């Protein structure tokens, strides 16, 4: 497939890099130096105008900031297929403004750079089925893909899109604890990240839910139960749940505002 990227920022650039080995890629950015640099690094073409990028491909990835989109609507063509990663801009708005039903929304997280993104995928009800399959395949080329109802995107942001930041904070806090107890911060980070990877692997491989696995580690009058007591005293579970809810609610506010414009 020929794919053009409108926008070469962190996310657009990461996805373009991931798919360039499988597809013919063209990139465009208002910062031409950025577009040329990305194109050179991934073996893609750099378009000098949006129109040239549209001419080059049948699939267009919209990777610009949401506030930039309104200025692009008059230029975008209804005879192209679109993937949008613009946060907070619903399919209803994209379909109305671009004039096509062949639109898929991606909600990736920043691990796209490491080809380990977790991406929610939603499409218009009338979207071409083959294009949707191709879009899911594109999402899988830079990580895992979860086809979801668009109505669940705010919840997805709460547990993935935004939640990756909570996990960075958790890694940081654990590493600081290790530093307090005598292990250097860099070494603590390595130990904590490997521990996190081991926990993820066990959840996936064991078929057990996290609560079951947690109780297996908590032996009577042991070290782990004392650590768990501290988490409960600090309302750890409630704090994490509230973080998910707040991120989700903010996403709902942004989508509502986009529909009302």
């Amino acid at each position: 497939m020929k794919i053009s990227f409108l926008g070469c920022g962190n996310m657009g650039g990461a996805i373009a890099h991931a798919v360039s080995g499988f597809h013919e890629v063209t990139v465009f950015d208002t910062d031409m130096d950025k577009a040329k640099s990305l194109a050179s690094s991934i073996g893609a073409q750099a378009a000098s105008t949006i129109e040239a990028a549209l001419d080059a491909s049948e699939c267009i990835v919209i990777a610009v900031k949401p506030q930039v989109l309104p200025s692009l609507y008059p230029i975008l063509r209804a005879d192209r297929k679109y993937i949008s990663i613009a946060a907070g801009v619903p399919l209803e708005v994209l379909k109305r403004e671009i004039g096509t039903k062949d639109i898929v929304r991606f909600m990736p997280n920043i691990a796209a750079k490491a080809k380990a993104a977790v991406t929610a995928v939603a499409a218009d009800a009338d979207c071409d089925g083959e294009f949707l399959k191709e879009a899911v395949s594109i999402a899988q080329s830079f990580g895992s893909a979860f086809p979801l109802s668009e109505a669940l995107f705010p919840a997805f942001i709460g547990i993935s899109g935004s939640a990756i930041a909570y996990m960075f904070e958790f890694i940081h806090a654990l590493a600081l604890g290790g530093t307090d107890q005598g292990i250097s911060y860099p070494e603590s980070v390595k130990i904590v990240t490997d521990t996190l990877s081991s926990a993820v692997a066990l959840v996936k491989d064991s078929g057990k839910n996290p609560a079951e696995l947690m109780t297996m580690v908590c032996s009577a009058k042991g070290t782990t139960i004392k650590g768990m007591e501290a988490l409960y005293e600090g309302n750890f579970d409630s704090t994490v749940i509230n973080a998910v809810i707040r991120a989700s609610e903010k996403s709902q506010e942004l989508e509502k505002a986009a529909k009302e414009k």
Side-chain angles (χ1 to χ4, degrees):
M1 179 185 285
K2 294 181 178 180
I3 305 175
S4 287
F5 286 77
L6 306 184
C8 299
N10 288 335
M11 192 65 75
I15 296 173
H17 189 279
V19 305
S20 61
F22 309 96
H23 303 281
E24 186 176 327
V25 173
T26 299
V27 297
F28 169 80
D29 196 281
T30 52
D31 183 340
M32 277 304 300
D33 288 338
K34 183 186 288 186
K36 288 178 179 178
S37 176
L38 175 63
S40 176
S41 68
I42 65 175
Q45 297 294 316
S48 57
T49 64
I50 292 178
E51 290 82 0
L54 293 173
D55 286 340
S57 305
E58 64 267 28
C59 177
I60 312 298
V61 177
I62 302 172
V64 301
K65 295 186 182 300
Q67 58 267 31
V68 174
L69 259 179
S71 66
L72 299 186
Y73 289 142
I75 306 170
L76 300 179
R77 302 173 188 167
D79 63 348
R80 294 292 185 265
K81 293 176 170 60
Y82 292 89
I83 294 171
S84 173
I85 63 171
V89 183
L91 289 166
E92 172 187 324
V93 174
L94 294 167
K95 182 178 181 180
R96 181 182 71 230
E97 297 294 341
I98 301 174
T100 179
K101 59 183 175 56
D102 290 327
I103 303 174
V104 176
R105 273 187 75 188
F106 280 2
M107 182 59 64
N109 65 26
I110 63 169
K113 252 181 182 175
K115 294 188 178 180
V118 181
T119 303
V121 180
D124 182 83
D126 298 321
C127 179
D128 177 73
E130 285 304 309
F131 175 53
L132 177 55
K133 288 180 183 177
E134 290 167 348
V136 170
S137 177
I138 289 170
Q140 289 171 334
S141 72
F142 55 90
S144 59
F146 289 84
L148 292 174
S149 162
E150 188 182 32
L152 294 175
F153 266 37
F156 179 86
I157 287 171
I159 64 171
S160 182
S162 294
I164 193 170
Y166 319 157
M167 294 175 192
F168 294 147
E169 179 64 22
F170 183 56
I171 291 168
H172 171 64
L174 278 176
L176 287 179
T179 304
D180 179 76
Q181 292 299 300
I183 303 175
S184 71
Y185 182 78
E187 189 71 8
S188 289
V189 169
K190 291 177 183 178
I191 293 169
V192 169
T193 52
D194 279 357
T195 302
L196 186 61
S197 294
S198 69
V200 170
L202 194 54
V203 169
K204 288 185 174 181
D205 293 344
S206 69
K208 298 180 183 295
N209 67 52
E212 289 178 283
L213 294 170
M214 180 267 292
T215 57
M216 288 170 61
V217 187
C218 292
S219 55
K221 294 189 176 182
T223 58
T224 307
I225 191 62
K226 286 298 180 184
M228 294 303 300
E229 283 177 9
L231 291 180
Y232 291 134
E233 286 167 5
N235 293 318
F236 179 79
D237 287 9
S238 293
T239 299
V240 173
I241 291 169
N242 283 332
V244 171
I245 291 170
R246 290 193 187 187
S248 180
E249 288 176 344
K250 181 61 177 179
S251 175
Q252 291 175 56
E253 288 176 14
L254 292 173
E255 299 215 357
K256 182 179 179 184
K259 289 179 181 178
E260 292 174 348
K261 285 183 180 179

